[in-house]
Amino acid sequence: MTEQFNCHYCKETLFGKKYILQEEKPYCVKCYESLYSNTCEECKKPIACDNKDLSYKDHHWHEACFNCFQCKQSLVDKPFSTKDERLLCTECFTNMYSSVCHECKKAIIPGTRKIEHKGNSWHETCFICHHCQQPMGTKSFIPKDDKNYCAPCYEKQFAMHCVQCKKAITTGGITYHDQPWHKECFLCAGCKKPLTGQQFTSRDEFAYCLDCFSHLYAKKCAGCTNPIIGLGGTKYISFEERQWHNDCFNCKKCAVSLVGCGFLTEQDDILCPECGKNL
């Protein structure tokens, strides 16, 4: 008795017919294609067993359908890119989506190195110093007037030099007495601590932090003995070579403010007229 050899799905005999094994079970071509064939992304038809099945990221195409979406040329055995799940040859992708070099105006091919700055792109070899014309690559550079300069050329052409250390100022600085300084060079003449971002005052063309200036030069209040710093519109009273903070110029006995009022003196004390009557 002849052993049966039938399609696992439709049960029709497979003797003398072409068949395909799937999970060690035989299927006739019609059943296999109906159950297991992939659908072509382009023509939406099943990819038959006798056709080449080309796949990319879980998508499948007939060999004849594996073409560039834009120019329709075959992409079989050629490099390609994808955009919005559409196949594009390298040339079409470059023309449609690649950056254009700010210098030579040609497309920057995907995968090649490029330089980006303020919304513009350059081929690595096109990103050159405007002065010396040498490629800057990933080295530091300084932009000026829509042109880019390598650090040495910028220093020679444009940079101001710090009045303290005499070196070029390339990344910010401060101006004091119409002269340029590095922030790290602008120091208190007394304690040598940086003054950038701090309140300071000056004397004899030198800058001092408030602590040093108070210790060295500020007048002392006759009332509280603390320094009187004349910054920010600070007001004080001066009388016979003595000074007081406005808040400290008070009657010695009743503590009433004497600012803008008449007063009397008793040795080193100041008194309001009323307290002075009782002496």
Side-chain angles (χ1 to χ4, degrees):
M1 184 176 179
T2 305
E3 184 179 357
Q4 288 187 341
F5 185 56
N6 301 330
C7 171
H8 181 72
Y9 187 74
C10 68
K11 307 305 182 184
E12 289 188 7
T13 182
L14 296 176
F15 281 112
K17 297 180 180 179
K18 185 177 180 180
Y19 66 92
I20 300 100
L21 288 174
Q22 175 69 19
E23 296 179 354
E24 298 184 358
K25 297 180 177 64
Y27 292 83
C28 66
V29 172
K30 183 178 180 180
C31 288
Y32 178 85
E33 290 181 350
S34 173
L35 294 170
Y36 299 109
S37 288
N38 295 309
T39 300
C40 176
E41 289 289 327
E42 180 64 24
C43 68
K44 308 305 179 185
K45 295 179 180 179
I47 302 174
C49 297
D50 55 355
N51 290 144
K52 203 175 210 180
D53 185 337
L54 302 180
S55 64
Y56 176 72
K57 289 187 176 180
D58 295 327
H59 297 297
H60 298 263
W61 291 264
H62 292 104
E63 184 175 14
C65 295
F66 195 66
N67 303 322
C68 172
F69 174 79
Q70 186 67 20
C71 69
K72 307 306 180 183
Q73 290 187 15
S74 174
L75 297 176
V76 177
D77 297 327
K78 294 180 181 179
F80 64 91
S81 299
T82 60
K83 183 72 174 178
D84 300 326
E85 297 188 355
R86 291 172 174 171
L87 302 173
L88 291 165
C89 66
T90 301
E91 184 176 355
C92 287
F93 184 88
T94 298
N95 293 335
M96 295 172 66
Y97 301 109
S98 295
S99 305
V100 175
C101 177
H102 189 67
E103 180 67 22
C104 69
K105 310 306 179 186
K106 296 180 181 179
I108 300 174
I109 297 174
T112 60
R113 296 186 66 177
K114 67 178 179 178
I115 307 296
E116 294 182 323
H117 176 62
K118 288 188 175 180
N120 294 319
S121 301
W122 289 261
H123 293 108
E124 187 176 28
T125 53
C126 291
F127 191 63
I128 60 176
C129 171
H130 180 73
H131 181 70
C132 69
Q133 300 295 301
Q134 294 301 308
M136 294 185 289
T138 56
K139 297 177 183 177
S140 60
F141 66 94
I142 300 139
K144 180 177 175 61
D145 300 332
D146 295 327
K147 298 178 178 65
N148 300 309
Y149 297 84
C150 64
C153 285
Y154 183 87
E155 290 181 11
K156 292 177 183 177
Q157 296 290 311
F158 307 109
M160 293 184 292
H161 288 74
C162 174
V163 69
Q164 176 67 24
C165 70
K166 312 305 180 186
K167 294 180 180 179
I169 301 172
T170 57
T171 55
I174 63 170
T175 300
Y176 176 67
H177 285 178
D178 295 324
Q179 293 181 315
W181 302 67
H182 288 115
K183 292 180 180 180
E184 59 271 20
C185 292
F186 188 57
L187 308 176
C188 171
C191 65
K192 307 303 180 186
K193 291 181 179 179
L195 294 176
T196 303
Q198 308 296 323
Q199 281 191 315
F200 65 92
T201 188
S202 63
R203 185 182 177 94
D204 300 329
E205 302 299 318
F206 294 103
Y208 294 87
C209 67
L210 299 190
D211 287 342
C212 286
F213 185 83
S214 298
H215 177 72
L216 294 171
Y217 302 111
K219 299 179 182 299
K220 303 297 190 294
C221 175
C224 68
T225 71
N226 290 323
I228 299 173
I229 306 297
L231 295 175
T234 301
K235 295 181 179 180
Y236 65 95
I237 309 296
S238 181
F239 176 70
E240 293 183 349
E241 298 184 354
R242 291 189 294 165
Q243 290 79 31
W244 291 262
H245 294 106
N246 269 20
D247 293 341
C248 296
F249 194 62
N250 303 323
C251 175
K252 180 67 174 179
K253 289 190 175 183
C254 69
V256 67
S257 174
L258 299 177
V259 177
C261 302
F263 62 91
L264 303 173
T265 60
E266 173 65 22
Q267 297 181 353
D268 290 338
D269 298 332
I270 55 173
L271 304 168
C272 66
E274 190 65 29
C275 291
K277 291 179 182 179
N278 298 324
L279 293 177

